[in-house]
Amino acid sequence: MATQYRFSFGPWNIHEGADPFGPTVRSSRSFAEILDVAVKLGFQGIQFHDDDVIPADVPAARMEAAVAEVKKQLDDRGLVAEFVAPRLWEDPRTVDGPVTSNNAEERQYAIERSKRAVDIARMIGTKDIVWWPAREGTYIRECKNAQTSFGYVLDYTNALLEYDREIRILGEAKPNEPMDLMYLPSTGHMLALSYKTVDPNRCGVLIESAHAILLGLDPSDEMAYALWHNKLWSVHLNDQNGLKYDQDKAFGTVDLRRAFNQVRVLEQAGYGKNGEWVGLDVKAMRTQPFEVATKHLSNSKEIFLQLVEVARKVDPQEVQGFTQARDYEGLELLITKHLMGLR
Ligand code: XUL
Ligand code: MN
């Protein structure tokens, strides 16, 4: 089995099934139960938003003790924190995207809240900060100056890099939702920004499969491009039906070949050998009863590991034969047969 891989998910991946059109359909699990699920399903890492660790209103003087309690729950189970992501999209000060807000106080809030997330990250034992620009963009183009906004994003990133000289910032690009149009919609945008910061070596990306698909791009090429820059520092594997709302379906359940190609790219690059995480960002279907509302996690992991086996089984000589003859139809059938279990 593919031992170099270790897996993570976030507490929000086990959820009660509410959507924008209807209420919850399942009862909640406590944080301890979520951690127990992680252990039971063979996950080693937990991804966090800052307020998944401790509520946003815990005063500075009480933070250390509060985070230590959560860390103990991880330690007791042999789990570790993969990253902390500042949740910059729920507070009233984040309504217009705090990083690129026209309001200086709101921009300052984004920086202060994120510095606090850095402190939480260090206390819980990770140096990785994920920044998903949730509301950084606009519903109408005329309400912000885009060039000014990009400058604000750079100021924000530099402020965090300077605040703690050991952290890394992983930008997680997404083209839309909740915003009509988001700034920095693609991996390429995130990478270009990274080179303008005060420390490009500490700026990389987390690529979510569905976010690339929402852009009409192939996630495996996005991953390969980031790998080529030595900046693919995490992934959010999942799947997605077309250019619709963000679905966070279990990995490989919509387009198995597209999933195979992500696995193939990661496998060929030796992803995971330096501790990179195979992170999931998946949601259970709303129809799923409580008792079986964790299968989206176990299934995603199983499909990933099976695809690793498939990728390892494909004979490079045979591939080379087809590519040299430029018989791509032949190569296509070979791969398809592998995916159908016929090879
Ligand atoms: C949003 C999304 C987030 C980030 C973490 O689409 O994927 O959950 O992964 O903030
Ligand atoms: Mn994600």
Side-chain angles (χ1 to χ4, degrees):
M1 261 297 180
T3 45
Q4 91 238 33
Y5 295 109
R6 45 181 200 160
F7 295 85
S8 69
F9 67 83
W12 66 92
N13 284 171
I14 294 186
H15 69 118
E16 297 79 25
D19 70 14
F21 304 98
T24 60
V25 291
R26 296 182 283 266
S27 48
S28 330
R29 285 173 207 260
S30 67
F31 181 63
E33 283 174 295
I34 290 175
L35 298 187
D36 290 341
V37 167
V39 173
K40 186 166 161 234
L41 301 183
F43 285 75
Q44 294 84 10
I46 303 293
Q47 311 161 14
F48 288 100
H49 293 116
D50 52 356
D51 57 4
D52 293 323
V53 185
I54 54 168
D57 58 1
V58 173
R62 289 226 304 275
M63 270 174 57
E64 201 153 351
V67 176
E69 271 176 43
V70 179
K71 184 163 189 311
K72 182 170 181 329
Q73 287 180 279
L74 295 178
D75 293 346
D76 287 348
R77 293 169 175 82
L79 295 167
V80 295
E82 184 197 343
F83 66 71
V84 173
R87 198 191 295 275
L88 295 176
W89 54 92
E90 288 185 358
D91 186 274
R93 287 163 285 191
T94 66
V95 168
D96 201 16
V99 174
T100 58
S101 169
N102 291 319
N103 178 318
E105 280 172 24
E106 291 178 357
R107 293 200 300 278
Q108 196 53 36
Y109 171 74
I111 292 175
E112 294 312 321
R113 168 94 187 228
S114 303
K115 285 182 178 172
R116 187 175 176 279
V118 169
D119 295 340
I120 293 171
R122 300 307 300 268
M123 289 172 193
I124 204 153
T126 177
K127 294 176 181 168
D128 283 355
I129 302 297
V130 167
W131 178 58
W132 167 53
R135 299 191 189 280
E136 309 308 337
T138 59
Y139 300 115
I140 58 164
R141 294 284 86 175
E142 301 84 358
C143 67
K144 287 182 185 173
N145 179 313
Q147 288 207 45
T148 306
S149 295
F150 301 139
Y152 291 151
V153 169
L154 185 61
D155 295 344
Y156 166 80
T157 313
N158 284 340
L160 297 188
L161 290 170
E162 278 167 350
Y163 177 65
D164 183 326
R165 297 194 179 266
E166 289 185 30
I167 59 153
R168 304 193 303 178
I169 299 180
L170 289 68
E172 180 182 348
K174 183 178 177 184
N176 54 274
E177 209 190 339
M179 302 309 292
D180 188 353
L181 290 161
M182 281 162 74
Y183 291 138
L184 308 175
S186 72
T187 300
H189 288 84
M190 284 291 179
L191 291 175
L193 172 80
S194 78
Y195 293 109
K196 292 202 73 150
T197 66
V198 289
D199 195 351
N201 290 330
R202 290 191 289 129
C203 280
V205 292
L206 175 156
I207 294 184
E208 173 161 329
S209 325
H211 297 178
I213 298 163
L214 282 168
L215 270 162
L217 298 177
D218 180 72
S220 74
D221 280 345
E222 289 285 273
M223 288 174 189
Y225 189 60
L227 284 163
W228 183 69
H229 285 269
N230 289 321
K231 284 183 182 293
L232 185 65
W233 297 343
S234 192
V235 290
H236 267 174
L237 298 185
N238 56 16
D239 215 340
Q240 167 78 25
N241 257 322
L243 307 185
K244 301 177 184 173
Y245 65 95
D246 187 13
Q247 297 153 8
D248 296 336
K249 285 175 175 290
F251 181 59
T253 55
V254 176
D255 187 333
L256 194 59
R257 183 151 170 208
R258 188 169 59 192
F260 165 74
N261 278 308
Q262 292 169 67
V263 172
R264 177 176 161 271
V265 159
L266 296 176
E267 178 66 13
Q268 284 179 344
Y271 183 88
K273 289 196 171 137
N274 298 314
E276 299 90 349
W277 289 90
V278 178
L280 304 179
D281 195 357
V282 288
K283 280 208 176 93
M285 290 178 218
R286 193 163 189 267
T287 44
Q288 204 73 355
F290 177 85
E291 304 73 38
V292 284
T294 58
K295 285 196 174 176
H296 58 308
L297 295 163
S298 51
N299 290 358
S300 295
K301 180 165 164 273
E302 183 176 340
I303 291 167
F304 179 90
L305 288 169
Q306 294 290 353
L307 288 174
V308 170
E309 295 304 313
V310 174
R312 289 180 183 174
K313 238 165 109 182
V314 176
D315 178 4
Q317 300 282 346
E318 220 174 333
V319 173
Q320 209 187 3
F322 283 119
T323 51
Q324 271 175 2
R326 216 191 271 170
D327 180 5
Y328 296 171
E329 304 277 5
L331 178 56
E332 180 149 84
L333 186 64
L334 174 75
I335 298 297
T336 308
K337 280 189 169 170
H338 272 286
L339 289 173
M340 291 192 294
L342 300 174
R343 290 291 300 251

